[in-house]
Amino acid sequence: MAMAEAVIPRGTLFLYLTIMLGLILQVFPLPHWADQLRPQWPLLILIYWSMALPHRCGIFTALIVGLFVDVMLDDLLGQHALAYSLAIYIVMTTYKRLRLTPMWQQAVAVFLLLMIERIVSAIVLGATRSQTTDALFWLSPLTGMLLWPWLFILLRDLRRKFRMQ
């Protein structure tokens, strides 16, 4: 048993469980009006973990999670993988500064990161399906921005409880 703990860092299972929870929340059935407001749960969770533990959750994790989201939502393969990887790349290059900013500034940064996903999705929808987006399409990042402080506090407290480093 001691050998397994030396190989797997403390809290790794918890990190993957939170990402799986984000994937479940992404496909959880909601009414049509609420579905338009659904934040990108997997991306929000990836943003937190790449800020808190950049050595454990990075661009490769974002790529894999993005591929899972593409398959689950039956979107163009690579659409979310590209958007998530791009957003997490930005987090990885700025995480030291993001950690020190006040919560409201973090929420604004998260809004901008979530907008990257929406912009990539709008480009893909326009290029592959000749669809245009409506105003509700752009509300999802706003919801994510408003949920960020609560998600941050919840995951931070759980990370401290499990003594993840």
Side-chain angles (χ1 to χ4, degrees):
M1 188 66 165
M3 185 69 143
E5 286 192 34
V7 175
I8 301 171
R10 173 181 225 124
T12 300
L13 179 63
F14 178 71
L15 186 144
Y16 291 129
L17 285 174
T18 57
I19 291 173
M20 286 176 50
L21 178 63
L23 291 169
I24 291 168
L25 288 172
Q26 194 61 38
V27 294
F28 193 78
L30 292 175
H32 181 67
W33 64 269
D35 196 40
Q36 297 291 327
L37 297 174
R38 180 194 317 258
Q40 284 291 327
W41 287 108
L43 184 54
L44 280 170
I45 292 169
L46 285 169
I47 290 169
Y48 173 79
W49 287 121
S50 60
M51 269 179 43
L53 302 172
H55 56 282
R56 287 218 201 159
C57 182
I59 299 169
F60 182 73
T61 307
L63 179 75
I64 299 301
V65 171
L67 288 173
F68 274 110
V69 172
D70 290 330
V71 170
M72 288 181 353
L73 298 178
D74 195 28
D75 284 334
L76 183 66
L77 194 61
Q79 170 184 334
H80 288 94
L82 172 65
Y84 288 12
S85 298
L86 184 58
I88 297 306
Y89 171 76
I90 294 169
V91 172
M92 297 293 288
T93 57
T94 60
Y95 75 92
K96 289 180 182 178
R97 282 177 272 169
L98 281 173
R99 284 182 184 174
L100 299 175
T101 59
M103 186 60 68
W104 71 270
Q105 287 179 347
Q106 276 186 17
V108 171
V110 166
F111 173 76
L112 295 173
L113 292 166
L114 294 172
M115 282 300 288
I116 290 171
E117 186 277 329
R118 291 282 87 181
I119 291 168
V120 169
S121 293
I123 291 170
V124 169
L125 283 172
T128 60
R129 299 182 185 161
S130 299
Q131 288 181 341
T132 58
T133 59
D134 58 355
L136 292 176
F137 179 82
W138 301 98
L139 285 179
S140 174
L142 183 62
T143 308
M145 180 183 79
L146 295 174
L147 289 173
W148 174 252
W150 308 108
L151 182 68
F152 179 89
I153 291 167
L154 174 69
L155 289 176
R156 183 196 60 199
D157 291 348
L158 289 171
R159 179 176 56 87
R160 288 177 179 170
K161 179 181 177 183
F162 288 108
R163 290 185 235 124
M164 293 174 62
Q165 298 177 7

